[in-house]
Amino acid sequence: MEYRTLGRTGIKVSPYALGALMFATRMGNEPGESARIIHKALDAGINFVDTADAYGDSEEVVGKALQGRRDDVVLATKFGLGRELNRQGTSRRWITTAVENSLRRLRTDHIDVYQVQRLDPTTDIEETLSALTDLVRSGKVRAIGSSTTPASDIVEAQWVAERRNLERFHTEQPPYSILNRGIEREVLPVAQRYGMGVMAWGPLGQGMLTGRVRKNSENDLSRAGFFKHLNDERRIDVVEQLIPLAQEAGMPLTHLAMAFTIAHPGVTSALAGPRTMAQLDDLLAGLDVRLSDEVLDRVDKIVPPGTDVSALDQDYVPLAIQDAGLRRRPLAERAAG
């Protein structure tokens, strides 16, 4: 395994990392089988595991599986999403509670990378960074990061951290795949400018880049009933162009997709979420794949750099877009005359 440094933290991580959403029992896995998948990944050299407190009981499953092997793993988790009043978001009040809950479920005394799953526009970023700084100084957290964050918010957080002498975000976890390359325009360059490690989620296009979604065929992905982008005809048309490219390159589509994601110099690791041992075996079989410039040039022709083939359902949508009142003047003020 060729390890990479996670931004400027000095932490060495594997280019392929385990996303632990699928280890939640509500996703259909038995905890013992999830543990076997985790152990096999660790034995193969993957040392980076990412979960979140919003992933059902994933933290508990991961924590139990890592007993006796905790020091071998760079363990990341996230906070911020939720539905209950004051048990979500990025306030100091919730952060100090959320971290204790995650530490308990993960059966550990520290979290290597603690990330804001989504920034809360109603909370001052200084409050969030101040609370996270205290966690770092107390030893409960080693490094902090953000996820699915617009470039402008990444820059603001860096500026606030510098001005207030607070811990800064050392990592960003954005969506990135052949189908969604929008972050190449601003997010990845900004992350590189600030020396941030990037853990890309969704490198397999939430399952679309596995070859299981074909044109004029029934979509058998379990999540297809929940996410519109998994049934998007434009995305399916692109997959139909990528499949023969992968065949000509002599590799499965999954290997092409994973290798593409980690080929970008701004990406540290690609988060794959195998649910079965067979899916993990396929992932491990592609560890040595290196895409030639010719293959990458052909990918660029299919999906131009910096573009998305439609938006993901889980994309960050700014409050200024969600709230019509923030993008419409009062009726009386809308006329020019």
Side-chain angles (χ1 to χ4, degrees), residues 321-333:
I321 300 299
Q322 296 181 48
D323 187 345
L326 297 177
R327 49 187 167 82
R328 297 175 182 172
R329 291 178 180 271
L331 183 60
E333 300 177 8

Side-chain angles (χ1 to χ4, degrees), residues 243-253 255-256 285 289 291 295 298:
I243 288 175
L245 172 58
Q247 292 172 341
E248 291 174 33
M251 66 185 71
L253 180 58
H255 294 180
L256 173 69
V289 172
L291 300 183
V295 171
R298 292 182 63 183

Side-chain angles (χ1 to χ4, degrees), residues 88-247:
Q88 60 176 308
T90 59
S91 67
R92 173 180 287 273
R93 182 182 188 277
W94 177 236
I95 289 172
T96 55
T97 299
V99 72
E100 296 297 338
N101 291 340
S102 287
L103 288 169
R104 183 185 69 256
R105 288 189 291 259
L106 290 167
R107 303 189 184 193
T108 185
D109 63 355
H110 71 280
I111 296 165
D112 295 305
V113 186
Y114 198 42
Q115 305 152 94
V116 180
Q117 192 154 4
R118 296 291 188 278
L119 287 177
D120 178 6
T122 67
T123 304
D124 194 317
I125 186 62
E126 183 174 348
E127 160 136 343
T128 301
L129 291 175
S130 176
L132 292 172
T133 296
D134 288 345
L135 296 184
V136 173
R137 292 174 179 171
S138 70
K140 294 179 180 179
V141 170
R142 300 294 189 252
I144 61 173
S146 53
S147 177
T148 317
T149 311
S152 59
D153 288 343
I154 294 175
V155 172
E156 180 187 11
Q158 295 287 329
W159 286 356
V160 169
E162 182 177 355
R163 288 198 301 267
R164 303 303 188 196
N165 194 30
L166 299 171
E167 285 289 323
R168 68 184 185 89
F169 289 141
H170 286 284
T171 66
E172 165 61 15
Q173 187 177 140
Y176 185 50
S177 72
I178 295 176
L179 297 174
N180 289 92
R181 304 182 60 177
I183 66 168
E184 292 174 347
R185 286 186 175 272
E186 293 187 353
V187 171
L188 286 178
V190 164
Q192 289 175 278
R193 186 183 312 160
Y194 288 107
M196 300 173 71
V198 171
M199 308 127 72
W201 63 265
L204 296 180
Q206 289 71 52
M208 294 200 74
L209 297 175
T210 63
R212 292 171 57 189
V213 180
R214 302 297 303 269
K215 197 172 184 66
N216 301 321
S217 298
E218 185 176 347
N219 189 335
D220 68 347
L221 291 177
S222 60
R223 288 171 285 174
F226 302 99
F227 298 125
K228 295 178 181 178
H229 66 259
L230 295 177
N231 299 285
D232 190 291
E233 289 296 327
R234 291 170 295 174
R235 295 167 71 85
I236 294 173
D237 287 340
V238 169
V239 171
E240 291 296 327
Q241 298 177 64
L242 292 171
I243 288 175
L245 172 58
Q247 292 172 341

